[in-house]
Amino acid sequence: MVTRATGSRHNVDEADVARFERLGEEWWDTAGPMKALHRFNPVRIAYVRDRLIQHFHPEPAPGRPLKGLKLLDIGCGGGILSEPLARLGAVMTGLDPAPGNVEIAARHAEMQGLAIDYRAITAEELSTTEATYDAVLAMEVVEHVPDMRGFMRTATSLVRPGGMLFAATLNRTLKSFALAIVGAEYVLNWVPRGTHQWEKFVTPQELGEAIEDCGLTVGDQTGVVYNPLSQEWRLSGDMDVNYMMCAERAV
């Protein structure tokens, strides 16, 4: 069953939502339009996993190191990030404003035997409830919303006291324009053309300030770079293009 939105969509780029919803079953095609995200997935899963373990020290559970932690995946799409984290033991809730994406995610999770609470609602709508989470994930989302600071106010409001926020996005530099748009979209065809708008990219300083203005403390930030020889992504001190950060709310 998919929970559908009935409330606010003011901070949603409807054209972006429609673009991603058109992917349909291709969300899970590792050689299709989302192949770059599938390749990026292992490094972001490891980043989230390791910092959650370091912060929360959950009781060891073989193969399920995140057992019992309540995580919210905002902009979950077809569930590419939610599923692996659920396999690690997390209690996952995934949000996406596109009902089609959520239906794909829910169907795929059911086929995998995973219980994930997928909802076709906005973060703004969820924030009107009393729901809070051990960690909120805003991965590859902030560069797609009309009001980044407004979105971060909403996302951070869903982090419980003592909880964490994770974000991954693209820096607004000439290098990111050359690599993430010209290179990835028009030369290499890694992602569909029009996926990104460079003017919506967010610098680490802008994102960090937006998070800390909401009362959280940024604890870590790292660049992520692609190695064309191994065809793998890895953490790096180079934050000129892709980067991730995490923050904590005081108890």
Side-chain angles (χ1 to χ4, degrees):
M1 180 178 178
V2 174
T3 303
R4 295 178 180 269
T6 58
S8 173
R9 293 177 70 91
H10 77 275
N11 203 8
V12 171
D13 185 325
E14 297 292 355
D16 252 358
V17 170
R19 183 180 300 111
F20 286 111
E21 192 166 26
R22 283 194 294 270
L23 291 171
E25 299 289 349
E26 290 185 299
W27 271 104
W28 285 97
D29 181 357
T30 57
M34 289 290 101
K35 62 185 176 182
L37 188 59
H38 282 281
R39 288 180 179 176
F40 189 67
N41 218 27
V43 72
R44 63 179 184 165
I45 292 166
Y47 182 78
V48 170
R49 178 200 64 208
D50 292 349
R51 276 141 194 85
L52 286 174
I53 291 172
Q54 182 181 34
H55 182 73
F56 289 107
H57 305 291
E59 293 186 14
R64 294 169 63 81
L66 305 183
K67 184 178 180 180
L69 291 179
K70 290 177 56 181
L71 308 187
L72 175 66
D73 182 9
I74 300 177
C76 64
I80 293 174
L81 179 60
S82 291
E83 282 200 13
L85 293 174
R87 289 193 183 92
L88 292 174
V91 180
M92 292 300 307
T93 298
L95 303 187
D96 199 283
N101 290 346
V102 171
E103 289 170 3
I104 291 292
R107 185 161 62 247
H108 195 273
E110 184 178 5
M111 291 169 57
Q112 303 300 312
L114 296 171
I116 299 175
D117 180 11
Y118 284 118
R119 308 183 191 186
I121 64 176
T122 65
E124 287 77 16
E125 185 173 10
L126 182 62
S127 70
T128 64
T129 72
E130 296 182 358
T132 58
Y133 298 84
D134 294 311
V136 172
L137 314 178
M139 312 295 274
E140 290 74 48
V141 175
V142 296
E143 71 271 23
H144 294 287
V145 297
D147 177 7
M148 183 273 291
R149 284 187 168 270
F151 172 77
M152 294 315 302
R153 285 193 296 272
T154 299
T156 55
S157 74
L158 295 163
V159 179
R160 71 161 176 84
M164 301 185 72
L165 174 87
F166 290 85
T169 190
L170 288 151
N171 198 350
R172 193 175 62 255
T173 61
L174 291 178
K175 186 175 177 180
S176 71
F177 181 83
L179 296 180
I181 294 184
V182 177
E185 296 187 15
Y186 290 87
V187 178
L188 299 173
N189 294 315
W190 278 0
V191 294
R193 295 182 180 184
T195 296
H196 295 113
Q197 301 173 52
W198 182 79
E199 63 273 13
K200 284 189 175 181
F201 289 3
V202 182
T203 70
Q205 180 177 352
E206 290 168 344
L207 183 58
E209 288 177 352
I211 292 171
E212 297 207 333
D213 284 349
C214 297
L216 280 70
T217 301
V218 174
D220 182 77
Q221 51 187 343
T222 180
V224 190
V225 298
Y226 183 70
N227 185 330
L229 296 179
S230 64
Q231 297 188 343
E232 294 178 339
W233 292 85
R234 62 176 176 82
L235 301 183
S236 166
D238 182 355
M239 299 176 65
D240 288 347
V241 185
N242 294 84
Y243 68 94
M244 298 187 289
M245 66 173 58
C246 64
E248 303 172 4
R249 183 184 293 284
V251 178

